[in-house]
Amino acid sequence: MEEQKTLKSRIENFFYYYKWHTIFTLLAIFLIVTTIIQVRSRIDYDTTITFLGSFGQEEATMKQFQNNMEQVLTDANEDGEVHVLPYFLLVSGDVMSAEQDSASAVRLQGMILTRETTVMILDQGAMTALAEGGALEDLTPFYEEYGLELTDHPYGIPISEDNPVFSMFFMSGKQYYITRLAKGTEMDARQTADYENAEKVLRMVIEGQM
């Protein structure tokens, strides 16, 4: 009985002096474990296809699009699996949504600087702005290879409404273009594979509307 009282008093004494130390230690362990789980479960996408504008999409159609892309694109990061991310940045052009539109534009610029995305679906205004900044590849060779009529906007291929690659998405009545990020001067093996994936998507779009 005396031993139980002694043990109890020791525990009470420990928590009296070290209560906050113990709480902070347990919290730190919890955060570390949570971070490790999140990192391990996070998908490392091989290719990100970014949509900038106003698009209608549902979970089922996004999954269908992902499955279609993952069947034809390659494993850029060499992890044994192919993962493609359709990434939507909303730009409505509405005065009330100016702040959100600006945030989407800034996010895209960040993705371009880090080569987080190589394929972009843009309207004419966004395409022109990025092309003038040197961010987009000149697609004239593709126009010539496929015998397409060269437009005043050679940095993108116009996407028809019935194009099978993107037919599951509603594109808000605007004319959108598929574009590819300009080739970097020093790209590693992964970035090169991603860049080649972007070309596959580009060719799929062109061939799907010929």
Side-chain angles (χ1 to χ4, degrees), residues 127-144:
M127 177 180 64
T128 300
L130 290 176
E132 290 177 349
L136 302 181
E137 179 183 1
D138 185 342
L139 302 181
T140 299
F142 291 92
Y143 275 92
E144 295 174 346

Side-chain angles (χ1 to χ4, degrees), residues 20-185:
W20 291 112
H21 295 78
T22 303
I23 291 174
F24 286 129
T25 299
L26 292 174
L27 180 60
I29 293 173
F30 173 77
L31 291 175
I32 291 171
V33 171
T34 302
T35 301
I36 291 173
I37 292 173
Q38 289 178 341
V39 169
R40 288 185 174 180
S41 62
R42 184 185 302 161
I43 296 176
D44 186 10
Y45 290 97
D46 297 284
T47 295
T48 297
I49 301 174
T50 304
F51 297 74
L52 180 73
S54 181
F55 302 91
Q57 75 277 352
E58 298 178 355
E59 186 67 29
T61 57
M62 288 180 64
K63 189 61 179 176
Q64 177 190 346
F65 178 76
Q66 281 182 297
N67 289 337
N68 292 345
M69 292 295 102
E70 289 168 0
Q71 293 300 315
V72 296
L73 300 187
T74 58
D75 180 12
N77 58 20
E78 298 183 341
D79 65 353
E81 299 180 336
V82 178
H83 293 292
V84 178
L85 175 65
Y87 191 77
F88 291 86
L89 292 170
L90 179 62
V91 172
S92 65
D94 193 308
V95 175
M96 300 298 292
S97 304
E99 186 174 342
Q100 177 180 282
D101 292 356
S102 177
S104 293
V106 170
R107 173 65 179 129
L108 180 60
Q109 290 173 352
M111 294 173 74
I112 289 172
L113 288 174
T114 58
R115 300 196 72 87
E116 187 179 341
T117 184
T118 49
V119 185
M120 290 158 282
I121 312 303
L122 310 170
D123 64 19
Q124 182 178 324
M127 177 180 64
T128 300
L130 290 176
E132 290 177 349
L136 302 181
E137 179 183 1
D138 185 342
L139 302 181
T140 299
F142 291 92
Y143 275 92
E144 295 174 346
E145 178 183 345
Y146 284 95
L148 303 176
E149 182 179 352
L150 191 61
T151 68
D152 295 331
H153 314 290
Y155 292 90
I157 303 293
I159 303 172
S160 62
E161 293 183 3
D162 59 350
N163 190 284
V165 178
F166 301 113
S167 59
M168 67 281 294
F169 302 128
F170 174 68
M171 296 194 172
S172 71
K174 273 188 176 182
Q175 176 61 67
Y176 285 95
Y177 299 78
I178 181 169
T179 66
R180 181 163 70 162
L181 188 64
K183 191 170 186 178
T185 54

